[in-house]
Amino acid sequence: MKIFNIVWVVLFIIFAGLQYNDPDPYLWMPIYLYCAWFCYLAAKKEFYPIGYAVGIAIFTGYAIYKIFDNNGLIDWFEYHHAESLVQTMKAEKPWVEEVREFFGLLICVAVLAANWVYGIKQNKKVPVKKGKR
């Protein structure tokens, strides 16, 4: 898991840097840096279940919003026949940006969930130390 988290720290920092030219970097840079921070902590074997739960809840809620948004996932499937999202880096069509954001949120949720589950399993393996009476 240490290598997994180091790789994701680097990727999330790159993702955050690429948001500089995005129409809403003030939203996406913190999202990706939040994930990078929790991956960094997990790489150091520090697990914060509440931090994972908060991130997962917020990002899942936002992803659900992106599914039903006017230019969201359903719109992309129904009216644009799941047209390629990677033809160019510039999102010239409005649904391209929305669907890419949806998949970015899914990545965040998946990585945070993996760390959350791993952290729970690690905490169960640590023996509880009892104090002297």
Side-chain angles (χ1 to χ4, degrees):
M1 279 302 278
K2 185 172 186 171
I3 293 171
F4 171 85
N5 281 300
I6 291 170
V7 167
W8 279 108
V9 166
V10 172
L11 288 174
F12 282 132
I13 289 172
I14 291 170
F15 293 171
L18 291 173
Q19 299 305 311
Y20 180 75
N21 290 330
D22 200 63
D24 48 2
Y26 52 85
L27 177 65
W28 286 95
M29 290 176 96
I31 287 173
Y32 288 131
L33 292 175
Y34 183 91
C35 295
W37 177 250
F38 278 94
C39 286
Y40 169 74
L41 292 174
K44 291 177 29 175
K45 297 194 183 286
E46 295 179 27
F47 300 99
Y48 298 93
I50 293 174
Y52 298 130
V54 167
I56 290 168
I58 291 171
F59 302 155
T60 299
Y62 194 29
I64 290 169
Y65 169 78
K66 292 287 184 185
I67 290 171
F68 299 104
D69 191 24
N70 285 339
N71 291 313
L73 194 68
I74 292 174
D75 186 68
W76 175 59
F77 273 118
E78 282 188 18
Y79 302 112
H80 307 290
H81 312 289
E83 182 180 322
S84 176
L85 300 172
V86 293
Q87 292 173 352
T88 65
M89 282 308 293
K90 187 172 183 180
E92 296 167 348
K93 301 166 186 164
W95 65 87
V96 171
E97 180 73 15
E98 299 298 318
V99 176
R100 285 180 181 171
E101 288 176 353
F102 169 79
F103 287 114
L105 289 165
L106 283 187
I107 291 169
C108 290
V109 168
V111 172
L112 289 175
N115 277 320
W116 191 19
V117 169
Y118 182 76
I120 289 170
K121 287 182 180 180
Q122 288 303 106
N123 284 338
K124 287 183 179 177
K125 291 180 182 178
V126 176
V128 177
K129 294 182 181 178
K130 295 183 180 181
K132 294 181 183 179
R133 293 183 183 201

